[in-house]
Every structure is written in structure tokens, then in C-alpha cells.
């Protein structure tokens, strides 16, 4: 059996990008349908980024999704860099005119947006597997999808792909019409969740000859920790004690033997590959890509989720402009507008990653260059401000 329907906008993927776009369109009076292959429980437990730029926080508040974030999120005015067994605090707020970051897990953003969507938003279909996107070069592209054992067709004015790099939308764009720029890094992250209070009030980025380490948090009672590991690492090869020993060694400071991470039970372990990717353009006919469907950044700069929010903010504004004025000017500029920010974030993430990590074949010369760059950030307000402005997030266009 089959069924068909029409919507102005069809959104594939109910991650933060797809859900936020649906919310913004709904508030502008634009009808849309969101299709999500997985069930609600899976969507709400996908572990991803948790560092929100000031602009992301502002957008979530403005669309009515900021109440719990403001109550439970952890606002940070700075970050700490550790290198050469020294510590330097970067005061984000002072260096950027008051811009801050907020620690609030992606899982919680998704829960908040789903709750809003189901209560007072356009249709959100879980378990709806997009099978194909067709007719992109016409004024009525179609999404064929499977839902509850039935085949359906959603005819749209525009199809928005928020379904990731391997999603159906990106692959629907002909290869001759897109170009993908990629870089793979020679290391990965071993990420763990620990039921122990964070060892620092702010994030700690640690450079050492043993490799990179990041001390983050999810809540005041749960730490999120990362270690640089070789590609292909099996988490089973890293028992709890080995992880804690390595975190302690990589963050060690001269003259501060007591500044060690508090230990506790580890409840999750996973290895995250590191890569960069940008697909250009972000539009083909009436197919538009957003978030991971268009670009991926290594997590060092905390840009992935924030770039997705920036994409859909620009896109929602462009679709609203079209809806209210009939002009496609902003929509025609969507790809170029977003790619300016994407490439800036890619460069920042690349610099953060290559400055803080130790490559497998790294020479002592290269290590001294890294230390020199970190010394420059610690000594120069101009260098520190450049890092702070990018980390806290550039203003949304």
C-alpha cells in the first residue's frame, strides 16, 4: 500500500539541525514534515557535541527551546590550555566582549526540540526511512520513504538534507554537481563518560608528548573525557585504570602535584575518528544540505553542532523571506553564505587539532613549533583573542 502528501519543505533527519529548522519554519508559518529513520528513543540518546556557542544559545532561546538549557546548562567564561607542564587560562568573555560558551549536551537539545515539535509543531515521523530523493531539478522534488510497513511519497517545494554525510540526501546530488574536500587525521579520540564531578570548572585542553587530552563535562556530577589514541584502537584495550593513569599523565603540571583528575566509574567508552569534510555547493536545484550532510569538522574546535545551527538559521531566514516576499535572493545565496562560515570553522578546527595533538611520526622540531604557538597565545592578547573569537563563535550572518 502507498500514500502521498505534500509539504512546502521536507526535512530528512531529526537531529538538532532538522528539528531546529522545523521549529524555525513553523514559527514563520511555513509547513514542513520531518522524517527520521530511527525511533524516538534512539534519536534522544545519540551522544554528540555539548559545547554551544553564544549564537547557538541565542537561537535556541529565541525559538522557545532554551528554558531547560538556561536552567541546567553550564555557562563557561573561559577554557584552560595545558602545555609544557604549564597551565594558561583563556578568558573568552574578556577577549570577545562578553561572548561565552554553554555546556549542554546534544541529547538534551534533541529532547527539548522533540518535545516542542510533538506538542505544537509540524509532523515528525519516527521510523520513516527515506529511500530516495528524486526530481531535484524540477519545482516538485519527491521523497520516497517507508513508514510502518507502507511506502509513501512526500512531494515538496524544497527538500532539506539533515541526515548526515552518509544520508540519502547527499547521495541524491549527482556526483558531477558536487565536490567534496576531505582530510583524515592520523589519530582518533577515545571518549569516556565518568560518574565523577569534573576536575575543573572549565574545559581543559592538554597538549603533551604522550598525546592530547580533553577534560570536559556533561553535568556537575558527570565528566566527559577524551584521549588521543591511534586509529583503529579497540576501547576494550583501555581498562579504566589505564585511562585514568593516562589522563593524569597528560595533564600533569609542574609545581601542582595535587591538581589531578578525580577518579570514578566509567560508564561508556567509544572511539571517534577524526576527519574534515566539506561538500560544495550546499544546494542542487531544490535539494539543500545542512549540518553533517554538508560538512564535518574534527571535534577539537567544538564546531560541528554549532555549524549545523548556523546553517539552518540562515536557511530558515531565507525560506521565510521567500514565503513572505516571493524573492529567492536569500535562498540563492544560501550555499555561499554558509560556506564562508564553514571554511572559517574548518580552518579553526584544523589549527586547534594540529596544534594540540601529537602525530605518530612527529619530530621534535614540530613539537617545538606547537609549543611556540601555544606560548604565543598565552603571551599575546591578539593571538588569544583570535582563538577566543573563533571558539566562542563568530556572529551569525
Amino acid at each position: 500500500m502507498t500514500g502521498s502528501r505534500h509539504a512546502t519543505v521536507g526535512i530528512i533527519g531529526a537531529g538538532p539541525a532538522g528539528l531546529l529548522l522545523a521549529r524555525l519554519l513553523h514559527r514563520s508559518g511555513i509547513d514542513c514534515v520531518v522524517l527520521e529513520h530511527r525511533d524516538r528513543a534512539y534519536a534522544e540518546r545519540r551522544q554528540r557535541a555539548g559545547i554551544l556557542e553564544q549564537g547557538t544559545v541565542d537561537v535556541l532561546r529565541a525559538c522557545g527551546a532554551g528554558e531547560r538549557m538556561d536552567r541546567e546548562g553550564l555557562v563557561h567564561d573561559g577554557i584552560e590550555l595545558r602545555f609544557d607542564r604549564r597551565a594558561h587560562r583563556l578568558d573568552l568573555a574578556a577577549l570577545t566582549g562578553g561572548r561565552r560558551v554553554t555546556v549542554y549536551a546534544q541529547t538534551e537539545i534533541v529532547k527539548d526540540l522533540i518535545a516542542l515539535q510533538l506538542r505544537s509543531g509540524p509532523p515528525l515521523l519516527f521510523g520513516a526511512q527515506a529511500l530516495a530523493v528524486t526530481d531535484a531539478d524540477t519545482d516538485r522534488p519527491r521523497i520516497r520513504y517507508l513508514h510502518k510497513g507502507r511506502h509513501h511519497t512526500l512531494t515538496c517545494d524544497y527538500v532539506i538534507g539533515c541526515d548526515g554525510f552518509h544520508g540519502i540526501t547527499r547521495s541524491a546530488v549527482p556526483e558531477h554537481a558536487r565536490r567534496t574536500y576531505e582530510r583524515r587525521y592520523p589519530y582518533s579520540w577515545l571518549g569516556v563518560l565518568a560518574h565523577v564531578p569534573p576536575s575543573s570548572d572549565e574545559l581543559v585542553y592538554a597538549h603533551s608528548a604522550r598525546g592530547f587530552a580533553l577534560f570536559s563535562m556533561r553535568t556537575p556530577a558527570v565528566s566527559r573525557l577524551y584521549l588521543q589514541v591511534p586509529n583503529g584502537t579497540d576501547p576494550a584495550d583501555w581498562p579504566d585504570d589505564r585511562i585514568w593513569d593516562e589522563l593524569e599523565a597528560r595533564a600533569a603540571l609542574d609545581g601542582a602535584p595535587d591538581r589531578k583528575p578525580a577518579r570514578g566509574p566509567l560508564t561508556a567508552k567509544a572511539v571517534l575518528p577524526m576527519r574534515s569534510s566539506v561538500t560544495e555547493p550546499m544546494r542542487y536545484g531544490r535539494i539543500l544540505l545542512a549540518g553533517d550532510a554538508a560538512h564535518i569538522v574534527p571535534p577539537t574546535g567544538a564546531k560541528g553542532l554549532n555549524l549545523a545551527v548556523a546553517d539552518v538559521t540562515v536557511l530558515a531566514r531565507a525560506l521565510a523571506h521567500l514565503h513572505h516576499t516571493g524573492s529567492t535572493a536569500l535562498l540563492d545565496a544560501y550555499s555561499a553564505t554558509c560556506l564562508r562560515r564553514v571554511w572559517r570553522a574548518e580552518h579553526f578546527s584544523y589549527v586547534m587539532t594540529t596544534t594540540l595533538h601529537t602525530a605518530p611520526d612527529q619530530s621534535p622540531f614540530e613539537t617545538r613549533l606547537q609549543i611556540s604557538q601555544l606560548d604565543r597565545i598565552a603571551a599575546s592578547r591578539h593571538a588569544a583573542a583570535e582563538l577566543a573569537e573563533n571558539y566562542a563563535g563568530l556572529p551569525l550572518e
Side-chain angles (χ1 to χ4, degrees):
M1 298 179 65
T2 61
S4 62
R5 66 191 304 174
H6 177 81
T8 301
V9 177
I11 300 171
I12 304 177
L19 291 167
L20 178 59
L21 177 59
R23 182 68 181 167
L24 294 171
L25 294 179
H26 177 65
R27 290 169 68 89
S28 294
I30 300 171
D31 67 294
C32 62
V33 174
V34 183
L35 307 176
E36 168 57 42
H37 176 36
R38 303 286 191 170
D39 61 22
R40 179 178 179 179
Y42 182 92
E44 292 184 340
R45 67 172 181 265
R46 281 185 285 216
Q47 291 289 338
R48 293 292 189 274
I51 309 299
L52 310 184
E53 296 177 358
Q54 185 70 58
T56 297
V57 169
D58 294 342
V59 169
L60 290 171
R61 284 176 181 154
C63 77
E67 182 180 346
R68 195 161 66 93
M69 174 189 68
D70 285 335
R71 187 172 64 248
E72 300 178 10
L74 306 175
V75 179
H76 288 190
D77 288 342
I79 60 174
E80 182 179 301
L81 300 176
R82 293 192 188 183
F83 59 98
D84 203 25
R85 300 181 67 87
R86 293 175 280 145
H88 174 74
R89 181 177 182 271
L90 204 69
D91 192 331
L92 300 176
L95 291 164
T96 63
R99 299 177 73 81
R100 297 166 170 84
V101 296
T102 298
V103 177
Y104 189 63
Q106 175 175 311
T107 51
E108 306 313 301
I109 296 173
V110 168
K111 290 174 186 175
D112 295 341
L113 289 170
I114 286 175
L116 284 172
Q117 184 89 347
L118 295 180
R119 184 168 67 244
S120 60
L124 167 56
L125 305 181
F126 290 106
Q129 180 183 3
L131 303 174
V133 178
T134 62
D135 304 319
D137 51 358
T138 73
D139 61 359
R140 285 292 186 271
R142 301 172 185 272
I143 306 172
R144 291 194 297 104
Y145 66 98
L146 183 66
H147 185 234
K148 295 183 178 179
R150 296 182 61 194
H151 287 271
H152 301 265
T153 299
L154 179 65
T155 304
C156 317
D157 294 344
Y158 295 94
V159 174
I160 315 300
C162 301
D163 51 343
F165 183 85
H166 298 290
I168 191 72
T169 318
R170 182 176 174 277
S171 63
V173 178
E175 290 190 7
H176 69 80
R178 57 181 162 93
R179 180 174 181 181
T180 299
Y181 302 85
E182 292 186 282
R183 177 186 176 89
R184 295 185 181 274
Y185 295 85
Y187 32 71
S188 300
W189 278 9
L190 172 63
V192 303
L193 279 176
H195 274 262
V196 61
S199 57
S200 174
D201 292 336
E202 297 175 335
L203 273 69
V204 176
Y205 289 78
H207 170 282
S208 81
R210 304 175 68 96
F212 170 76
L214 171 59
F215 296 78
S216 183
M217 64 283 292
R218 282 293 176 259
T219 71
V222 177
S223 296
R224 183 69 164 154
L225 308 161
Y226 299 94
L227 285 170
Q228 176 189 337
V229 294
N231 287 337
T233 290
D234 184 347
D237 293 335
W238 283 80
D240 291 9
D241 285 345
R242 182 185 181 190
I243 290 172
W244 286 117
D245 288 346
E246 196 63 26
L247 286 166
E248 186 174 310
R250 296 186 189 188
L253 296 169
D254 286 340
D258 295 334
R259 291 188 65 181
K260 298 178 180 179
R263 301 193 176 202
L266 303 181
T267 58
K269 300 178 187 178
V271 172
L272 296 74
M274 306 277 285
R275 67 189 181 104
S276 301
S277 172
V278 179
T279 295
E280 296 186 354
M282 292 171 60
R283 179 183 180 184
Y284 173 74
R286 297 208 172 204
I287 296 178
L288 299 102
L289 306 178
D292 285 358
H295 42 72
I296 295 172
V297 290
T300 325
K303 292 290 159 237
L305 170 61
N306 295 293
L307 277 181
V309 169
D311 288 348
V312 299
T313 301
V314 172
L315 183 52
R317 187 177 299 136
L319 289 167
H321 184 69
L322 171 62
H323 179 68
H324 294 297
T325 70
S327 169
T328 63
L330 295 185
L331 198 58
D332 293 340
Y334 166 71
S335 181
T337 300
C338 289
L339 284 170
R340 283 194 294 271
R341 187 184 191 90
V342 167
W343 280 112
R344 174 89 297 275
E346 289 284 358
H347 182 264
F348 173 68
S349 299
Y350 167 81
V351 170
M352 286 282 284
T353 300
T354 55
T355 299
L356 291 167
H357 290 71
T358 302
D361 58 349
Q362 184 162 304
S363 69
F365 179 84
E366 291 168 313
T367 299
R368 295 308 302 165
L369 290 179
Q370 290 176 320
I371 298 299
S372 174
Q373 176 62 15
L374 292 165
D375 270 331
R376 170 68 176 166
I377 293 166
S380 166
R381 184 177 178 85
H382 294 292
E386 176 67 13
L387 193 159
E389 288 174 0
N390 282 275
Y391 189 89
L394 302 175
L396 291 173
E397 291 194 50

